[in-house]
Amino acid sequence: MRMVHNLGEGVALAADSIRANKLRSGLTILGVVIGVATVMTIASMVQGIRTQIFNAIETAGPTAFYVVRFFSQTPLNPDRLPYEVRIRPVLQTSDAEAIARIPEIGYSEMWVQLFERIEYQGERTGILTVFGADSRYMEIQGGTLLRGRLFTRGEQAGAQVVVIENDVAERLFGRADPLGRVLRIGGNPLRVIGIYQKPENIFEPPGQQIGAIIPFETARQNFHYDETNSLVIAVKPRSGVSVSEAQDMVTVALRRARHLHPGMPNTFDLITQDQILEVVGNLTSYFFIAMIALSSVALLVGGIGVMAIMMVSVTDRTREIGLRKAVGATRREILWQFLVEAATLTLVGGVLGIGLGLTSGELLKYVLRLQSGVPLWSAVLACLVSVFIGLVFGLYPANRASRMDPVEALRHE
């Protein structure tokens, strides 16, 4: 009960100190506010990105996987490929056909990823992702055909046609009907035959928004692209066939098609959804760690400010400390009083930081179109960190106050 009483008294004294010195207290805890808000904002963004990726994978189907020439977590420079990449053959349609002949595989097609601007009568977009694929693209990646149609078998042989994404259609054509009109992608004229809506939960890094789908042969014949980073074979096993089983079958089929003898390494890589999640998880973790380091600087500055204001508070209240000791207050009680005051001060900064972090999280959710939400653990962590900052940086002033000689303190002017 004694500790509870001292705790309540310390909180009340801290509240009185904050009210009496609003500007000084506000400037003191500003570093804590910024640090806590940064932690919560970054936690919200990382959580939102991971949620988007999980949703995108669910949309595409967790069984889909991809064959690439070489798997790298960062794009390779096509002009300076490492030796282990150069010795691998470029993916060919014959590789996709070899995979398609496996009875347990339901889909196997070559795709190519282009990065181009889309133009129509003076209006143009930024750099968008344009996929060279086939009419079953949305079956793998998700999406809904809103109007028009997909490619016919004949058009997939290299026709100058395109299915554009709905946002791109609204930007280029406004209220006009895009169907049948000719636009340009990378300078190549293409006739619009359909408009589709990409899935709302798809994850698109900035600068990689998907703008259109064209036939693979059209892309191969009319566009320049990097054969190492841009070519991929999309594979999806039939219902009831596990991903690991399908991967084993694809590996055997490709090794046989490429005449690889036992003991020779594979000249291709398989990318599963788990690998994609692992890569993104690593990237977001590094980003989170970097931002935590930056926010720690703000917390350190805030802690130093708390120490400074507590030193001033101890000096201003020297006679009060002497009086309390004269009437029987122990060193432990004085120490506890000032520690609670420092912790309360930083806790107020933490609460304000949480409010700012919540607001920033909502702004990120709106601007980046993330399904973000500030996780509960980040709010709890923010409160604990702010109190810890107060205890650590308030320890020296509190200890100084507790060691004062009551006679000398009462003489203080």
Side-chain angles (χ1 to χ4, degrees):
M1 293 298 295
R2 179 76 172 175
M3 182 174 292
V4 173
H5 172 74
N6 290 339
L7 177 62
E9 186 180 28
V11 172
L13 289 172
D16 291 339
S17 177
I18 293 173
R19 282 195 296 268
N21 303 279
K22 296 183 179 65
L23 180 59
R24 186 177 70 178
S25 299
L27 293 174
T28 300
I29 63 177
L30 184 60
V32 177
V33 173
I34 294 174
V36 169
T38 301
V39 171
M40 293 197 65
T41 302
I42 297 305
S44 174
M45 187 164 64
V46 170
Q47 184 73 18
I49 290 173
R50 287 180 172 174
T51 300
Q52 292 291 82
I53 294 170
F54 275 111
N55 290 340
I57 287 177
E58 286 299 320
T59 298
T63 60
F65 61 94
Y66 308 91
V67 181
V68 295
R69 183 183 186 186
F70 186 85
F71 175 63
S72 174
Q73 294 190 6
T74 56
L76 299 171
N77 183 348
D79 298 323
R80 301 183 62 182
L81 293 175
Y83 173 74
E84 61 268 25
V85 180
R86 295 198 305 270
I87 62 175
R88 295 187 174 194
V90 174
L91 292 179
Q92 304 290 337
T93 53
S94 58
D95 295 321
E97 292 167 357
I99 297 172
R101 287 193 290 269
I102 303 173
E104 289 80 6
I105 298 299
Y107 179 88
S108 173
E109 289 292 340
M110 285 280 291
W111 290 1
V112 63
Q113 194 175 16
L114 309 172
F115 299 96
E116 301 286 353
R117 297 182 187 274
I118 304 178
E119 304 175 58
Y120 178 75
Q121 292 185 353
E123 291 290 330
R124 61 187 303 187
T125 68
I127 300 295
L128 299 177
T129 299
V130 178
F131 272 100
D134 66 344
S135 59
R136 295 179 63 185
Y137 167 85
M138 282 182 277
E139 180 182 327
I140 305 299
Q141 291 293 91
T144 305
L145 184 66
L146 299 179
R147 284 186 289 160
R149 60 179 177 81
L150 298 174
F151 317 127
T152 64
R153 184 177 296 275
E155 288 170 337
Q156 289 179 178
Q160 301 294 105
V161 293
V162 60
V163 176
I164 60 174
E165 205 280 322
N166 188 52
D167 291 341
V168 175
E170 291 180 354
R171 176 173 179 178
L172 294 181
F173 297 95
R175 296 185 177 181
D177 186 4
L179 296 179
R181 299 177 185 266
V182 176
L183 50 71
R184 290 183 175 273
I185 298 180
N188 294 284
L190 297 159
R191 181 169 53 89
V192 179
I193 63 169
I195 303 169
Y196 89 103
Q197 176 70 59
K198 62 189 175 187
E200 293 183 359
N201 59 2
I202 192 170
F203 172 71
E204 294 179 334
Q208 294 187 21
Q209 287 78 16
I210 299 173
I213 312 164
I214 63 177
F216 172 76
E217 283 299 321
T218 303
R220 188 180 66 82
Q221 296 170 14
N222 297 277
F223 293 85
H224 296 288
Y225 54 85
D226 172 15
E227 294 181 327
T228 300
N229 296 306
S230 297
L231 285 175
V232 61
I233 300 176
V235 182
K236 190 170 185 178
R238 295 188 185 277
S239 178
V241 180
S242 67
V243 175
S244 59
E245 184 182 356
Q247 284 184 288
D248 290 340
M249 294 177 180
V250 167
T251 300
V252 171
L254 283 181
R255 287 183 63 86
R256 184 180 297 116
R258 294 188 171 191
H259 308 292
L260 297 177
H261 301 298
M264 295 178 63
N266 291 335
T267 56
F268 55 88
D269 285 330
L270 304 181
I271 304 177
T272 63
Q273 310 288 21
D274 291 338
Q275 288 173 294
I276 296 173
L277 287 176
E278 182 181 354
V279 171
V280 173
N282 290 337
L283 291 176
T284 53
S285 296
Y286 296 149
F287 179 67
F288 187 73
I289 291 171
M291 293 311 297
I292 288 292
L294 292 176
S295 63
S296 297
V297 175
L299 290 174
L300 179 62
V301 172
I304 294 173
V306 169
M307 181 182 289
I309 195 174
M310 290 305 299
M311 291 294 292
V312 172
S313 179
V314 168
T315 302
D316 290 345
R317 293 158 61 185
T318 300
R319 288 180 61 83
E320 175 193 328
I321 295 170
L323 184 60
R324 284 175 61 85
K325 281 197 166 188
V327 297
T330 64
R331 282 184 55 188
R332 179 179 296 180
E333 289 173 338
I334 299 295
L335 179 70
W336 178 255
Q337 172 191 339
F338 281 93
L339 277 180
V340 170
E341 184 172 337
T344 302
L345 192 64
T346 53
L347 180 59
V348 170
V351 171
L352 293 176
I354 290 173
L356 182 59
L358 288 171
T359 304
S360 301
E362 288 300 314
L363 288 175
L364 282 173
K365 181 177 180 179
Y366 176 76
V367 174
L368 301 179
R369 297 181 180 179
L370 293 175
Q371 297 178 3
S372 61
V374 178
L376 177 62
W377 65 264
S378 65
V380 175
L381 178 63
C383 290
L384 294 177
V385 167
S386 59
V387 171
F388 179 75
I389 291 291
L391 292 176
V392 170
F393 286 90
L395 184 60
Y396 176 73
N399 187 58
R400 180 182 176 186
S402 68
R403 290 178 176 274
M404 283 186 179
D405 181 85
V407 175
E408 294 298 325
L410 287 172
R411 291 175 178 174
H412 182 76
E413 294 294 336

